[in-house]
Amino acid sequence: MKIAGMHKPKYFVSFQISLALLLVTGVDFSTESSLSPKHFNYLVYHNPPFDVLTRGPNGTFSYFGASVYVVEWLAAKFNYTYTLIPVNQTIIDKYGTHEALFYQLINDKNIDGITGSFYLTMDRAERMDYTFHTWSDGFRLVVPRPGEESRLFAFIGPFEPMVWMLIFISIIVVVAMMTLFAMVYRHYPWNTCQVPDNKMMPEIDQGNGTRYSDSRNFLFNYVGSHMIYVVNIMTNQGSRESSSLYSFRVLAGIWVLCAMVLVNSYTGIVISSLTTPKMKPSIESFEDLVASPDTKILLRHDTSIGEQILKATSGIYKVLGDQARSNPDEQIVGDAFTVSSKLETGRYAFPFVQTFSIAFVGSQYKKDKQCRFKASKLLPISTGYYSWLFKKNSPFTKLYSRALMDYWESGLLNFGIKFLPTIPRAEKCFVSTTRRVARLLPIQLSDLTSAFLILGIGTGLAVLTFLLELLYSSINNPMRQYIEQQEKQ
């Protein structure tokens, strides 16, 4: 066995456990299909979190991960030697990581296969041989964790605009009704003394024996007094009732009842919004991503999901593809290193297999000691099945395929990936926070229909009472009775 320029990895414990379990499960280790003295060359590449390739000086490199265990197992099973060769960086810069691997596999006669699994597409199946699938995974979005919504307008948010408009209209109507009642009561004959020319004209004593009419100020005084009364009731400050007449009391009582509903609803929402964090909407789907003004999609043009989005001609994929093509230098990349560096800025969302999403969230938590990112729900995309790729028409593909099927069915690949050191655990970032981040919806008009209905009925009842008072007072007016008695005499 020869590993070109490779430093021995430190993570052999999982591999030894895997070999022991392979013996327990009875997977065939015989060398009936021995390939000795064959020697194979495999391309390796940086594929976090499954495999990590670190380049050193003078062509040296280190490589470890799940694929190393598989290659070791295949070499032991078929008794052959192998060399691991890093993919050419110059070709990566030109085509992207995956296409660089395919280019070297197809055009370099010394390369036999690629370590690691790839999602099969028609194009890939036509250009290369593929084995039984060695991995399956769903897709998620890696997205920035949403922050708290601004509380700058916390005192406006509890009600919808329509509710606010009706509240202001109700205040104007109530103040106008109170002013109307007061004006009529003040000018009615039974309420004040007569003045010359039989006109009701309140007067102000200036202290020097001169009396001036306040007819120019009484409307302003009424409106101001009643406005203060209405606002004090709404702000729970209380206020002295300015009239003892029944119609005014009915109107004021209905307003107090309506204001109680409005104020308690408003107060409850405001307190909740100030004490419970209101989080911005979380991105859980492609539709959410399109609607987000702050987060843009990031695509790898050499991955299957990236190709599907960039080649789409309709639907949500086309919308996302057009968004990425509008800024290709920033949103379309070709290698894992660039993906990680751009995701760390918190401005992008990246669709990829959920294992990568979990690993990235965990690695950032380990780095920053806080949950800056999250993985979305599983995207409505069919589960991906991934196979190893070998040179087209290789005579060993079927042999490898059968062996990899045994390895997959034993469950050891899943076991090895689960305990990879490149997948840090960050359970805190995946705990459900439904209660903590629940968004408080503003109260709609339909929620307060009963309050405004009560206000409307009360206003009508106050007007009816006012008219009855006028009728009763006109019949039982002492001044009228006095005049009638004088006329009889």
Side-chain angles (χ1 to χ4, degrees):
M1 177 184 67
K2 180 182 179 184
I3 304 177
M6 175 179 174
H7 302 294
K8 285 288 185 179
K10 302 178 181 179
Y11 306 99
F12 282 109
V13 176
S14 297
F15 178 62
Q16 293 172 349
I17 295 175
S18 299
L19 290 179
L21 290 175
L22 278 171
L23 293 173
V24 173
T25 56
V27 177
D28 185 14
F29 258 93
S30 66
T31 58
E32 295 177 359
S33 301
S34 175
L35 298 179
S36 178
K38 287 284 185 180
H39 183 87
F40 295 95
N41 295 320
Y42 294 109
L43 283 175
V44 296
Y45 65 107
H46 186 62
N47 183 33
F50 306 100
D51 305 294
V52 176
L53 171 66
T54 305
R55 298 178 186 268
N58 302 320
T60 60
F61 68 94
S62 64
Y63 180 73
F64 67 88
S67 296
V68 173
Y69 305 147
V70 178
V71 171
E72 292 279 359
W73 180 77
L74 287 172
K77 180 177 178 63
F78 295 120
N79 192 27
Y80 66 78
T81 58
Y82 65 90
T83 299
L84 300 181
I85 302 173
V87 62
N88 190 298
Q89 184 62 46
T90 303
I91 304 178
I92 290 178
D93 296 337
K94 184 176 181 180
Y95 297 112
T97 301
H98 287 185
E99 283 300 324
L101 290 164
F102 303 154
Y103 180 88
Q104 276 194 259
L105 176 61
I106 295 170
N107 295 284
D108 192 337
K109 296 181 179 180
N110 295 322
I111 301 299
D112 299 290
I114 306 173
T115 63
S117 304
F118 294 86
Y119 185 87
L120 289 180
T121 63
M122 289 299 297
D123 176 67
R124 294 174 181 179
E126 290 174 356
R127 291 192 292 166
M128 295 162 283
D129 281 355
Y130 57 91
T131 67
F132 182 85
H133 68 266
T134 58
W135 181 250
S136 64
D137 210 347
F139 293 89
R140 294 177 184 256
L141 284 166
V142 179
V143 297
R145 184 169 292 276
E148 291 188 22
E149 290 186 349
S150 172
R151 300 185 183 183
L152 180 61
F153 300 102
F155 295 96
I156 299 177
F159 291 152
E160 284 189 336
M162 181 62 72
V163 176
W164 282 115
M165 185 180 70
L166 285 180
I167 289 175
F168 286 120
I169 292 175
S170 300
I171 292 174
I172 293 172
V173 170
V174 171
V175 171
M177 294 295 294
M178 289 182 174
T179 302
L180 176 63
F181 292 172
M183 289 174 61
V184 173
Y185 289 141
R186 184 181 184 114
H187 290 77
Y188 218 70
W190 70 79
N191 200 33
T192 58
C193 60
Q194 297 285 338
V195 297
D197 299 329
N198 199 30
K199 295 180 180 179
M200 303 308 301
M201 193 67 66
E203 295 178 339
I204 300 176
D205 189 349
Q206 297 298 313
N208 56 1
T210 306
R211 300 173 66 86
Y212 295 96
S213 171
D214 67 343
S215 59
R216 294 172 296 180
N217 299 321
F218 77 91
L219 180 61
F220 176 79
N221 292 335
Y222 283 150
V223 172
S225 175
H226 296 145
M227 180 64 74
I228 292 173
Y229 175 79
V230 169
V231 172
N232 282 350
I233 293 298
M234 290 202 67
T235 55
N236 286 333
Q237 300 302 309
S239 181
R240 178 179 175 275
E241 187 178 1
S242 60
S243 177
S244 60
L245 295 171
Y246 289 113
S247 55
F248 190 93
R249 289 183 175 183
V250 170
L251 184 59
I254 293 300
W255 175 249
V256 170
L257 179 60
C258 181
M260 179 187 68
V261 176
L262 295 173
V263 170
N264 287 338
S265 301
Y266 176 85
T267 303
I269 294 294
V270 168
I271 292 174
S272 298
S273 65
L274 295 178
T275 57
T276 303
K278 290 176 55 180
M279 312 304 291
K280 295 179 180 178
S282 177
I283 298 175
E284 299 291 349
S285 64
F286 284 139
E287 289 75 12
D288 294 340
L289 178 57
V290 170
S292 174
D294 303 319
T295 306
K296 304 300 180 183
I297 191 168
L298 179 67
L299 295 175
R300 275 188 64 175
H301 61 76
D302 59 348
T303 61
S304 59
I305 183 65
E307 289 181 6
Q308 291 179 46
I309 292 176
L310 291 173
K311 293 180 179 179
T313 57
S314 62
I316 192 67
Y317 279 15
K318 183 180 185 302
V319 175
L320 291 170
D322 291 342
Q323 183 190 105
R325 281 187 290 270
S326 66
N327 191 15
D329 294 338
E330 295 294 329
Q331 294 180 238
I332 301 178
V333 299
D335 64 271
F337 291 105
T338 307
V339 168
S340 297
S341 62
K342 287 188 175 295
L343 282 178
E344 288 176 359
T345 63
R347 296 187 289 114
Y348 300 101
F350 180 60
F352 204 43
V353 294
Q354 64 174 337
T355 304
F356 172 86
S357 303
I358 294 171
F360 183 83
V361 172
S363 65
Q364 294 302 306
Y365 176 75
K366 182 178 180 181
K367 175 182 178 182
D368 302 326
K369 305 304 180 184
Q370 58 179 332
C371 297
R372 293 182 55 221
F373 300 89
K374 67 182 290 292
S376 71
K377 298 177 181 178
L378 281 172
L379 298 174
I381 304 174
S382 59
T383 300
Y385 292 88
Y386 300 82
S387 304
W388 279 44
L389 300 179
F390 292 89
K391 194 177 291 293
K392 190 67 174 178
N393 300 322
S394 171
F396 308 108
T397 302
K398 290 184 178 179
L399 192 65
Y400 285 135
S401 185
R402 176 61 192 180
L404 290 173
M405 182 176 67
D406 292 340
Y407 194 82
W408 165 256
E409 291 179 345
S410 70
L412 295 179
L413 185 60
N414 288 334
F415 175 83
I417 290 177
K418 183 178 180 180
F419 293 100
L420 280 175
T422 52
I423 306 181
R425 303 302 166 191
E427 286 77 7
K428 178 181 178 181
C429 300
F430 296 94
V431 174
S432 176
T433 55
T434 303
R435 290 185 60 189
R436 183 173 63 86
V437 301
R439 298 185 68 238
L440 300 173
L441 299 178
I443 295 177
Q444 302 177 0
L445 179 59
S446 58
D447 300 324
L448 296 173
T449 302
S450 58
F452 287 107
L453 179 62
I454 292 173
L455 180 60
I457 295 174
T459 303
L461 184 59
V463 172
L464 179 60
T465 305
F466 170 70
L467 296 175
L468 291 175
E469 284 181 330
L470 292 181
L471 180 61
Y472 176 82
S473 299
S474 63
I475 296 174
N476 297 279
N477 187 356
M479 182 64 69
R480 177 181 178 182
Q481 294 177 358
Y482 174 77
I483 294 174
E484 288 179 352
Q485 290 176 1
Q486 292 295 324
E487 289 176 352
K488 289 180 181 180
Q489 293 177 359

